[in-house]
């Protein structure tokens, strides 16, 4: 973020400056945080009232850390927190230090306004220099974060690029990512998620797009949309959020995604993991190598057909890689350069089909396949389809926590998961949470030899060491809120004997 004065920030969000003690535009703000533990000199802390804690209660810590100012909506709570912190006199002049406040009605909305104004300003500055700040984004029911990671690497190989950490894809994470840009930024990569209608439109209102990719329309957040067609309607908001003349990068293999070409305001690039010749960007002659990495002939406009081995496992990632190439091309990167950079690209975010050898609870090692960040039936299917190739001759163990936000489809999707576990040749299934019970029941009927049902992640942490043994391949998958990632972290803590940590396969 570029440095901005309090007066400038207040004007951007329509807020009122309070408690500045005559400092005027000082101090200068150089960063924006929503976690008080990350506040420091030059930081604007945005106090957000969440489900677990209210940011207003942490203003004392922000002041103690040297934070520059705070964006607040509850003035009594903010001042009470500062008073309770026992603000001490300044050592230099004996005066009591204060934390300037910018008062607004809604801090989340103000965060979005700040990001929108900041991005618009940077785009104007770039244009005045004869340059550009190109903004690209992706959405879909699965693959968003992987595609974000790949796209970031393809663009960063060309020029300074900003992209979100992990899955910063909502009304808080996306503005924070936008606010990391400065005058050196050439590309901004954004991930856009939705659990209801209008969510993506809100995000594109903050960051209007030069290019947008729609990956696939599946069963994520079905409880909020009611049907797959409802999911498609919500995801189409990203195409509607393109700037005039912006490029839509659409999955030709997904009929609902491809149908969005009708609302695109500019060029359309089609990608096809199945190799359909009607798609400009496509994969041909796809095969999986011994490490379950896809090897393919990549066809893209303006580049020679190139044999590429993806740097991440799973055949389902072919489509994600093609979408990343499409976004890079749409952003102005020569196709040959984008394809050349793809072979070296890796998954950068945690808990996304991270395959590594770690220590087994009883000595020796296990192959940990950590895909535990989130789950719906589409991503569950993709992960389990990768298990046989990744596991090889190892005993196959699957740990799944409940898939959340599936609404009326929950029982059916969990039951289908049990079938997929059996199809993947699992010897042991461990389920976490009551909602995963249909998976356990179906897996038993389908012939999985051992099925263990546990009520929650705490119980799983207590039992998992006794269930997993040396030589196993352990796939951990589930929704973030149901705790599968805690099991993955627990298993990953053991280094292989003789090494400082786990090793990539």
């Amino acid at each position: 973020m570029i440095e901005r004065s309090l007066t400038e920030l207040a004007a951007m969000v329509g807020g009122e400056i309070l408690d500045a003690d005559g400092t005027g535009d000082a101090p200068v703000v150089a960063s924006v945080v929503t976690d008080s533990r990350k506040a420091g000199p030059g930081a604007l802390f945005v106090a957000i009232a969440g489900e677990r804690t209210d940011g207003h209660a942490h203003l004392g810590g922000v002041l103690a850390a040297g934070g520059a100012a705070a964006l607040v909506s509850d003035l009594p709570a903010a001042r009470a927190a500062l008073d309770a912190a026992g603000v001490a006199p300044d050592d230099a002049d004996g005066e009591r230090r204060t934390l300037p406040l910018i008062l607004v009605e809604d801090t989340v909305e103000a965060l979005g306004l700040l990001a929108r104004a900041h991005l618009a300003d940077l785009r104007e500055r770039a244009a005045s220099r004869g340059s550009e700040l190109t903004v690209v984004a992706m959405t879909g029911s699965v693959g968003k974060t992987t595609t974000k990671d790949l796209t970031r690497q393809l663009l960063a190989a060309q020029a300074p690029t900003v992209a979100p950490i992990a899955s910063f894809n909502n009304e808080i994470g996306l503005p924070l990512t936008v606010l990391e840009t400065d005058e050196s930024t050439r590309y901004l990569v954004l991930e856009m998620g939705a659990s209801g209608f209008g969510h993506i439109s809100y995000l594109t209102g903050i960051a209007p797009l030069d290019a947008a990719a729609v990956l696939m329309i599946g069963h994520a957040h079905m409880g909020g949309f009611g049907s797959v067609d409802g999911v498609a309607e919500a995801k189409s908001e990203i195409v509607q959020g393109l700037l005039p003349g912006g490029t839509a990068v659409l999955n030709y293999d997904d009929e609902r995604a491809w149908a969005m070409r009708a609302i695109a305001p500019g060029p359309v690039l089609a990608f096809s993991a199945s190799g359909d010749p009607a798609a400009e960007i496509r994969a041909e002659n796809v095969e999986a190598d011994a490490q379950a990495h896809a090897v393919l002939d990549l066809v893209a406009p303006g580049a020679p057909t190139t044999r590429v081995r993806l740097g991440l496992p799973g055949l389902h990632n072919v489509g994600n890689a093609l979408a990343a190439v499409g976004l890079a091309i749409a952003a102005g990167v020569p196709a040959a350069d984008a394809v050349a950079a793809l072979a070296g690209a890796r998954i950068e975010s945690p808990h996304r089909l991270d395959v590594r050898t770690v220590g087994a609870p009883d000595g020796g090692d296990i192959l940990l396949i950590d895909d535990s960040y989130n789950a719906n039936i589409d991503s569950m299917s993709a992960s389990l389809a990768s298990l046989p190739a990744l596991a090889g001759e190892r005993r196959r163990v699957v740990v799944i926590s409940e898939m959340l936000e599936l609404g009326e489809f929950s029982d059916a999707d969990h039951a289908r998961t049990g079938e997929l576990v059996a199809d993947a040749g699992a010897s042991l299934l461990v389920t976490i949470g009551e909602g995963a019970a249909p998976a356990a029941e179906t897996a038993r009927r389908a012939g999985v030899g051992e099925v263990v049902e546990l009520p929650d992640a705490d119980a799983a942490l207590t039992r998992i060491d006794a269930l997993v043994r040396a030589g196993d391949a352990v796939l951990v998958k589930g929704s973030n809120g149901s705790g599968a990632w805690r099991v993955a972290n627990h298993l990953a803590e053991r280094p292989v004997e003789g090494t400082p940590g786990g090793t990539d396969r």
Side-chain angles (χ1 to χ4, degrees), residues 115-129:
R116 181 170 65 181
H118 171 76
L119 180 58
D121 178 47
L122 286 187
R123 276 174 153 161
E124 289 179 4
R125 295 184 187 212
S128 70
R129 300 191 305 267

Side-chain angles (χ1 to χ4, degrees), residues 66-266:
L71 187 66
V72 302
S73 59
D74 187 338
L75 186 59
R79 287 181 170 163
L82 291 171
D83 289 343
V87 179
D90 184 276
D91 292 337
D93 54 21
E95 295 182 0
R96 290 177 66 85
R97 293 177 293 116
T98 61
L99 184 69
L101 306 176
I102 301 176
L103 180 64
V104 296
E105 290 188 6
D106 185 316
T107 53
V108 174
E109 180 181 346
L111 177 63
L113 291 172
L114 179 59
R116 181 170 65 181
H118 171 76
L119 180 58
D121 178 47
L122 286 187
R123 276 174 153 161
E124 289 179 4
R125 295 184 187 212
S128 70
R129 300 191 305 267
S131 182
E132 292 180 272
L133 198 174
T134 301
V135 184
V136 306
M138 68 290 303
T139 195
S141 297
V142 294
K144 295 185 293 295
T145 301
T146 298
T147 304
K148 176 265 299 181
D149 286 347
L150 297 177
T151 303
R152 189 209 68 79
Q153 292 168 81
L154 301 191
L155 295 177
Q158 312 301 317
T161 301
V162 169
I165 300 169
S167 287
F168 272 32
N169 62 15
N170 63 11
E171 72 277 10
I172 296 172
L174 183 138
L176 289 174
T177 301
V178 171
L179 289 165
E180 292 181 7
T181 56
D182 58 28
E183 288 186 285
S184 71
T185 306
R186 174 64 182 85
Y187 300 110
L188 172 59
V189 182
L190 299 171
E191 177 183 334
M192 295 188 174
S195 55
F197 297 106
H199 291 185
I200 292 178
S201 290
Y202 177 79
L203 300 179
T204 60
I206 294 170
L209 302 173
D210 297 290
V214 181
L215 306 176
M216 70 162 290
I217 308 302
H219 295 74
H221 304 292
M222 287 291 283
F225 300 116
S227 67
V228 178
D229 287 334
V231 175
E233 181 182 346
K235 300 298 185 182
S236 71
E237 293 171 11
I238 199 172
V239 178
Q240 297 168 15
L242 283 164
L243 290 165
T247 302
V249 180
L250 303 178
N251 186 352
Y252 190 85
D253 298 332
D254 186 303
E255 62 179 358
R256 292 179 177 86
W258 181 236
M260 295 178 196
R261 68 191 183 279
I263 59 173

Side-chain angles (χ1 to χ4, degrees), residues 389-400:
L390 290 169
E393 298 302 314
R394 293 174 180 261
R395 186 178 77 127
R396 300 169 194 176
V397 176
V398 176
V399 180
I400 61 168

Side-chain angles (χ1 to χ4, degrees), residues 25 219 329 378:
D25 284 344
H219 295 74
I329 293 172
D378 301 301

